Amino acid sequence: MKFYDSVGPNPKLVRMFAAEKGYPLPDTEKVDIVKGENRQEPYLLKNPAGQLPALTLDDGRTIAETTAICEWMEEQQPEPPLIGASAADRAETRMWTRRVEWLVVQPLTAGFRSGMGVKMFQDRMRLFPESADALIASAGDGLAWLNEQINGRETIVPGRFTLADIALYAFLEFGAQVGQPLDSANANIAAWFERTGARPSAQA
């Protein structure tokens, strides 16, 4: 197997998930996304979507997309369960992870690419610079909603540290590095972020 790694929140998410599980990542190859190596062969032969990270299995298939890689890892090593040990737990985790992705991760990332990151991405994908501020504001709206939802609990999914926590942490850490710091008014999220950042896996 081979793990294709790079800078950025998506690879961080998978590394953090693996660290929480104590799952040893296989042989790792760094891909320079700043130079655009992910948009060129030979990487595109492995992952034609050109995204990072990716995991090539022993049978030659390559799995991309963070959730798919984490799902695969969970099946290889069920303990500790970070998605869920039962159908209901897995569905609940997927529900909250989906909310994190659509309400925060997607607009935060799109806002960065069309705003601060426009020079890096303008030749790689369609961007919407005129919408960058609105996208960033939309991510803020999602965080404000999530802040209310987690009032009185320590994790995104009630009572369990899961993939949803890891996804949100990786992207909020990234947001703070690219001009989208967490609004201090989101006190519940701020306390959650501090707790999550104290976990050893946050250094992955």
Side-chain angles (χ1 to χ4, degrees):
M1 291 194 300
K2 180 173 286 188
F3 180 63
Y4 293 90
D5 196 8
S6 72
V7 297
N10 284 305
K12 167 68 178 259
L13 187 164
V14 173
R15 294 195 307 268
M16 189 171 173
F17 189 92
E20 280 285 336
K21 294 192 79 69
Y23 189 89
L25 287 172
D27 179 34
T28 296
E29 180 176 321
K30 292 284 188 179
V31 179
D32 192 334
I33 63 172
V34 176
K35 292 182 178 179
E37 289 180 357
N38 56 313
R39 301 286 172 170
Q40 306 167 29
E41 294 185 3
Y43 182 74
L44 285 178
L45 298 175
K46 294 291 184 181
N47 179 13
Q51 301 160 327
L52 273 297
L55 178 68
T56 295
L57 305 180
D58 288 336
D59 65 6
R61 285 183 290 181
T62 296
I63 307 299
E65 308 299 338
T66 56
T67 300
I69 296 172
C70 291
E71 292 266 6
W72 178 89
M73 207 179 303
E74 179 100 340
E75 292 195 22
Q76 300 303 305
Q77 183 174 305
E79 296 293 332
L82 296 177
I83 298 173
S86 70
D89 283 355
R90 289 189 291 273
E92 186 181 36
T93 299
R94 288 165 180 151
M95 174 183 72
W96 282 104
T97 302
R98 186 71 166 169
R99 288 169 173 172
V100 166
E101 289 172 343
W102 280 102
L103 294 175
V104 180
V105 169
Q106 293 285 0
L108 184 156
T109 304
F112 162 68
R113 288 172 176 165
S114 290
M116 183 180 290
V118 69
K119 289 184 178 180
M120 178 177 175
F121 290 98
Q122 62 187 354
D123 296 326
R124 305 182 190 188
M125 61 184 66
R126 188 181 299 277
L127 300 176
F128 304 93
E130 70 282 0
S131 299
D133 289 345
L135 288 163
I136 292 169
S138 181
D141 292 343
L143 280 167
W145 179 83
L146 193 59
N147 183 71
E148 295 302 316
Q149 301 307 306
I150 69 166
N151 185 41
R153 65 187 197 235
E154 295 194 350
T155 52
I156 304 303
V157 176
R160 295 186 291 124
F161 186 83
T162 68
L163 174 60
D165 295 285
I166 294 170
L168 185 61
Y169 182 83
F171 277 87
L172 288 189
E173 182 184 62
F174 173 72
Q177 298 166 356
V178 294
Q180 298 185 54
L182 179 63
D183 186 340
S184 60
N186 295 320
N188 296 325
I189 295 289
W192 164 89
F193 186 81
E194 184 175 356
R195 287 192 303 271
T196 305
R199 300 176 76 96
S201 64
Q203 304 305 313

